[in-house]
Amino acid sequence: MKLEVYIDLVFGVNLIMDYLLLEVMQKLVKKNSKMGRKIFAAILGGLGACFSIMVPTFRSGIFMILFGVILAGFMLRIAFRYETMKALARDILVYYAITFLVGGILNYLYYYTSAGYYITEFMRILPSKALNFFYLICFFAIAGGFIHLVKRILIQMKGTRELFYNVELVFGEKKITCKGFLDTGNHLREPVSKRPVVIADLDGIKDILPEELIDYAKDFMSDAIHKNIDRFVVRIKWIPYHAVGTEEGILPGIVFDEVNILKEDRVVHNPNITVAIYQGKLTVDNSYHIILHEELL
């Protein structure tokens, strides 16, 4: 039996699939990318699939694996920007994990549900000239729908882990790193500049603050006289807040030189951010000491 391969169909299917997978990758790894870069990367993926079919060496064994990894690396490098090879290698693994997951779902639906039967029966009544075009439209519709579903599932699975970040606080010549929690319910802003405010418990960040500011934060609402506080007057803010079940109140705020979010592949720098000081503990187990504002990410 002679097997006929339509190279235009191979290119079209892989082009569509690679573009949709890159869309999923962009959501999961949270990288900026223009549509043109993703299309260019998907075109490279389609050409690579055609090349692997035309060259028998790349259809099996270690050469197939190496070619696939190198091709995926170039595609991701074109679509997204990477500062380190470690980040690129990690995303290659993520890309293949998504590919196998989506491929497995589509394979299951075709062979183990009635979807495969109806597609096959409908193809029989199509004119032979329309077959390739139908393949592309059908594949695009099915793959697009299920990749969207997989994207939502993966983002939900990843969501809880992505709520926690390492946060670097810089005050003068000192800096510390502690755990931060992204709370989408934190809408605090500095009243004058309207810039976002983060919340930190005093125990978690006191090592970076001068003694004068620590004393001020502890009893800023009292009539106590705070000595040597004048030199920090431009850094001191009052942050009004309102929490569910409580009356409105005010937290002492201190402007830090930087509040940097340390992500896996990059650092998000946020200069001159006000940190509202909470005297108690934000968590019983000290799992985090900072509540982040979503605009800082």
Side-chain angles (χ1 to χ4, degrees), residues 186-190 195-197 199 239-242 251 276 293:
N186 174 22
H187 301 296
L188 289 184
R189 292 183 180 275
E190 199 278 314
R195 298 197 67 192
V197 172
I199 306 170
I239 309 299
Y241 73 93
H242 176 75
L251 291 173
H293 194 291

Side-chain angles (χ1 to χ4, degrees), residues 181-208:
F181 174 74
L182 174 60
D183 185 357
T184 55
N186 174 22
H187 301 296
L188 289 184
R189 292 183 180 275
E190 199 278 314
V192 177
S193 67
K194 303 301 181 182
R195 298 197 67 192
V197 172
V198 303
I199 306 170
D201 59 39
L202 186 58
D203 286 342
I205 66 170
K206 64 183 180 181
D207 291 341
I208 196 176

Side-chain angles (χ1 to χ4, degrees), residues 83 165-170 175 177 195-196 198 256-263 265-274 292-297:
E83 297 179 359
Y165 297 88
N166 288 323
V167 182
E168 180 186 71
L169 300 175
V170 180
K175 64 175 62 176
T177 301
R195 298 197 67 192
V198 303
F256 278 64
D257 295 306
E258 290 186 73
V259 176
N260 301 323
I261 315 300
L262 309 181
K263 294 191 173 183
D265 59 339
R266 61 193 176 98
V267 178
V268 181
H269 294 275
N270 297 288
N272 301 318
I273 294 298
T274 300
L292 296 168
H293 194 291
E294 60 183 346
E295 288 187 14
L296 298 182
L297 275 70

Side-chain angles (χ1 to χ4, degrees), residues 24-39:
V24 176
M25 284 290 300
Q26 184 174 0
K27 292 293 184 181
L28 289 179
V29 301
K30 293 185 176 180
K31 286 185 175 294
N32 295 323
S33 179
K34 295 182 179 180
M35 180 182 292
R37 296 178 67 91
K38 289 179 288 187
I39 292 175

Side-chain angles (χ1 to χ4, degrees), residues 4-295:
E4 293 185 358
V5 177
Y6 297 92
I7 201 68
D8 56 339
L9 181 61
V10 172
F11 174 77
V13 167
N14 280 274
L15 171 65
I16 295 170
M17 191 70 177
D18 288 335
Y19 181 82
L20 293 174
L21 290 173
L22 290 171
E23 286 284 342
V24 176
M25 284 290 300
Q26 184 174 0
K27 292 293 184 181
L28 289 179
V29 301
K30 293 185 176 180
K31 286 185 175 294
N32 295 323
S33 179
K34 295 182 179 180
M35 180 182 292
R37 296 178 67 91
K38 289 179 288 187
I39 292 175
F40 186 34
I43 291 174
L44 178 63
L47 293 174
C50 296
F51 180 78
S52 65
I53 289 177
M54 292 185 294
V55 180
T57 304
F58 294 104
R59 291 206 298 263
S60 62
I62 189 66
F63 291 104
M64 179 182 68
I65 297 174
L66 289 176
F67 179 74
V69 170
I70 294 173
L71 180 62
F74 275 108
M75 289 173 56
L76 293 175
R77 186 64 183 83
I78 292 172
F80 311 113
R81 302 181 186 277
Y82 291 92
E83 297 179 359
T84 64
M85 288 298 298
K86 180 180 178 181
L88 177 59
R90 178 206 61 199
D91 282 0
I92 290 175
L93 294 177
V94 175
Y95 179 82
Y96 271 104
I98 297 171
T99 301
F100 289 134
L101 178 60
V102 172
I105 293 175
L106 294 175
N107 186 73
Y108 175 83
L109 290 174
Y110 186 84
Y111 288 104
Y112 297 99
T113 70
S114 57
Y117 169 79
Y118 288 115
I119 291 174
T120 302
E121 289 298 310
F122 186 67
M123 286 169 55
R124 289 178 180 175
I125 64 175
L126 286 177
S128 58
K129 293 182 179 180
L131 192 58
N132 285 5
F133 179 74
F134 171 75
Y135 262 124
L136 286 176
I137 298 300
C138 183
F139 184 84
F140 181 80
I142 296 175
F146 281 98
I147 285 181
H148 177 73
L149 177 63
V150 170
K151 178 170 64 176
R152 292 178 62 88
I153 294 173
L154 291 176
I155 289 175
Q156 289 179 359
M157 292 172 60
K158 192 182 179 185
T160 302
R161 181 170 60 86
E162 288 194 338
L163 295 176
F164 293 92
Y165 297 88
N166 288 323
V167 182
E168 180 186 71
L169 300 175
V170 180
F171 189 95
E173 296 182 355
K174 292 184 177 181
K175 64 175 62 176
I176 59 171
T177 301
C178 50
K179 188 68 71 175
F181 174 74
L182 174 60
D183 185 357
T184 55
N186 174 22
H187 301 296
L188 289 184
R189 292 183 180 275
E190 199 278 314
V192 177
S193 67
K194 303 301 181 182
R195 298 197 67 192
V197 172
V198 303
I199 306 170
D201 59 39
L202 186 58
D203 286 342
I205 66 170
K206 64 183 180 181
D207 291 341
I208 196 176
L209 293 175
E211 289 294 330
E212 298 93 329
L213 288 180
I214 294 176
D215 293 338
Y216 171 78
K218 287 181 178 179
D219 53 1
F220 81 107
M221 291 294 287
S222 70
D223 296 329
I225 298 176
H226 302 285
K227 298 179 180 180
N228 302 322
I229 203 70
D230 292 345
R231 62 193 180 107
F232 299 113
V233 67
V234 296
R235 291 181 178 264
I236 294 174
K237 308 290 182 181
W238 283 25
I239 309 299
Y241 73 93
H242 176 75
V244 177
T246 66
E247 297 180 356
E248 295 181 353
I250 296 177
L251 291 173
I254 299 173
V255 179
F256 278 64
D257 295 306
E258 290 186 73
V259 176
N260 301 323
I261 315 300
L262 309 181
K263 294 191 173 183
E264 293 180 351
D265 59 339
R266 61 193 176 98
V267 178
V268 181
H269 294 275
N270 297 288
N272 301 318
I273 294 298
T274 300
V275 177
I277 309 298
Y278 179 66
Q279 292 189 32
K281 290 185 175 182
L282 294 177
T283 61
V284 176
D285 58 356
N286 290 321
S287 57
Y288 60 89
H289 296 284
I290 295 177
I291 296 179
L292 296 168
H293 194 291
E294 60 183 346
E295 288 187 14

